[in-house]
Amino acid sequence: MTTVEVPHSSRSAVLRVSAVIAETGDACSLVFDVPEDLRERFTYQPGQFLTLRIPSDRTGSVARCYSLASSPHTDDRPKVTVKRTVDGYASNWVCDNVKAGDELEVLPPSGVFTPKDLDEDLQLFAAGSGITPVMSILKSALARGSGRIVLVYANRDPESVIFASELRELADKHPQRLVVVHWLETLQGLPSVEGLAAVVAPYAERRAFMCGPKPFMDRVHDALAQVGVPRNRTHAEIFNSLAGDPFADAAPVEVSEEEQADAATVEVELDGETHNLSWPRKQTLVDIMLSKGLDVPYSCQEGECGSCACTVLEGKVEMDNAEILDPEDIEAGYILGCQAHPVTDHLKIQF
């Protein structure tokens, strides 16, 4: 049995696995018990993810982000779904080792892949395990929203379809609101731009959310553009393996007198509250917010997970690493707080 004595950071918590569900031959779901005193910290939005600390003989541990497939509106406990990947240490360890009753160290929910309005008509796209956050959005919108939804779900074959029976039940329960389109590689080949465009053309006015391998999402982006969906109405979830240790507490920020004298000022809106901070130019936004004791959302601090995405309302920043952001996202003002440094003397930023 896997047990964790104490959390490795002030931000993480140890959660008990209440159930392990075999979804397909190569995917399983972990359902977590959340103690009453942690309920508020582990409240989540549809489409968010948890970061798990996975034991490793070689490095002590690795950190991996897994999307929540549960809905905060329909499920009593949070559930993440993990699919094995070739040579994927963490995913294979989870599927091979984790049992009900085990304990894992977990960071609170994070991520911005979540709709602002559950009443909006949506088009959802998923490939393989990309269904996980999409399923959370789908169930939430059906339970608490009033909009119509089309889901396009690509897989290798029928046996690879995660949540197949649950999707059938939802489609049967909501025939006027939900259309599920399965795209199976063994029958239709790989999804093509032309084929996807033909499927989604009737739904071009709807906001789009997508998750899956990059080639799949590139084709979805192209198909949506072909039928006239503006890029600012498309949202993509992107995960990279985390190289650093988000479970380690951040080191104190040390700023010289010279750096402090040249610091920018920033007005940050977080959770409805406004904070006015001094921002030394060599420090990232996440660094200075942590140094002031603010509960800024972040996981990796490497620009790889998108947890700290925020919007520049005034001013300009430069970023060390912004590969997970599309050019259109950057043009719209999105930045990664853990990679951002001030360029202008005054900025206004919103989380």
Side-chain angles (χ1 to χ4, degrees):
M1 177 177 288
T2 301
T3 59
V4 182
E5 296 296 329
V6 293
H8 285 74
S9 80
S10 58
R11 299 173 55 239
S12 59
V14 177
L15 298 184
R16 178 182 174 273
V17 178
S18 63
V20 179
I21 304 167
E23 302 289 0
T24 66
D26 59 2
C28 70
S29 293
L30 309 183
V31 183
F32 290 101
D33 278 331
V34 180
E36 193 63 40
D37 62 328
L38 293 176
R39 288 287 174 88
E40 186 174 342
R41 285 179 62 196
F42 279 84
T43 298
Y44 64 97
Q45 299 298 316
Q48 290 193 306
F49 62 85
L50 298 180
T51 305
L52 275 54
R53 187 174 188 268
I54 308 298
S56 168
D57 293 335
R58 291 179 300 170
T59 61
S61 70
V62 295
R64 293 292 182 268
C65 302
Y66 294 115
S67 291
L68 287 148
S70 52
S71 162
H73 305 297
T74 63
D75 298 290
D76 294 332
R77 296 179 175 90
K79 176 180 76 174
V80 299
T81 302
V82 181
K83 182 178 180 180
R84 294 180 189 270
T85 57
V86 178
D87 298 327
Y89 169 77
S91 63
N92 284 288
W93 186 89
V94 168
C95 292
D96 288 337
N97 293 281
V98 179
K99 305 290 187 294
D102 286 351
E103 293 177 339
L104 292 173
E105 189 173 352
V106 183
L107 289 174
S110 195
V112 295
F113 184 70
T114 182
K116 290 182 170 59
D117 182 4
L118 291 177
D119 290 320
E120 197 171 13
D121 290 344
L122 301 173
Q123 46 184 331
L124 308 177
F125 301 87
S129 59
I131 188 62
T132 312
V134 169
M135 192 69 173
S136 180
I137 293 171
L138 171 62
K139 292 196 294 184
S140 299
L142 289 173
R144 287 298 176 92
S146 58
R148 297 165 298 162
I149 304 163
V150 58
L151 166 66
V152 179
Y153 186 18
N155 280 284
R156 184 177 59 254
D157 51 43
E159 291 71 34
S160 305
V161 180
I162 303 172
F163 310 131
S165 61
E166 193 172 0
L167 286 169
R168 281 194 298 271
E169 291 169 7
L170 288 171
D172 289 343
K173 186 177 179 181
H174 303 277
Q176 304 302 317
R177 295 182 57 202
L178 175 62
V179 174
V180 178
V181 179
H182 288 284
W183 189 299
L184 300 178
E185 185 181 338
T186 51
L187 296 177
Q188 299 152 276
L190 289 170
S192 64
V193 173
E194 293 74 17
L196 289 167
V199 171
V200 303
Y203 313 104
E205 80 286 354
R206 301 185 185 183
R207 187 175 299 277
F209 289 82
M210 68 187 77
C211 185
K214 187 177 185 302
F216 170 76
M217 293 204 290
D218 287 345
R219 295 186 190 108
V220 172
H221 273 305
D222 290 345
L224 292 172
Q226 196 172 106
V227 300
V229 180
R231 193 62 177 257
N232 63 6
R233 289 179 63 79
T234 65
H235 309 270
E237 180 67 309
I238 301 171
F239 286 122
N240 294 312
S241 292
L242 307 185
D245 183 8
F247 289 89
D249 281 323
V253 174
E254 296 183 3
V255 181
S256 68
E257 291 184 9
E258 184 179 352
E259 289 173 324
Q260 189 60 55
D262 185 46
T265 59
V266 59
E267 181 181 316
V268 180
E269 184 180 328
L270 174 68
D271 296 331
E273 296 184 1
T274 299
H275 308 271
N276 291 289
L277 307 173
S278 173
W279 188 357
R281 298 178 193 272
K282 289 185 180 180
Q283 306 298 327
T284 70
L285 180 60
V286 166
D287 284 339
I288 65 156
M289 292 179 71
L290 289 174
S291 72
K292 297 301 182 183
L294 299 178
D295 190 19
V296 55
Y298 78 97
S299 283
C300 70
Q301 288 194 277
E302 299 164 0
E304 294 178 342
C305 72
S307 300
C308 61
C310 49
T311 306
V312 177
L313 302 179
E314 293 178 16
K316 185 179 179 182
V317 306
E318 58 185 9
M319 289 183 281
D320 298 325
N321 173 21
E323 289 184 7
I324 72 166
L325 294 178
D326 291 330
E328 290 82 359
D329 293 330
I330 295 173
E331 187 177 339
Y334 288 108
I335 65 167
L336 301 175
C338 74
Q339 300 295 303
H341 302 272
V343 173
T344 52
D345 292 335
H346 180 74
L347 302 96
K348 187 174 182 180
I349 291 175
Q350 182 181 59
F351 280 86

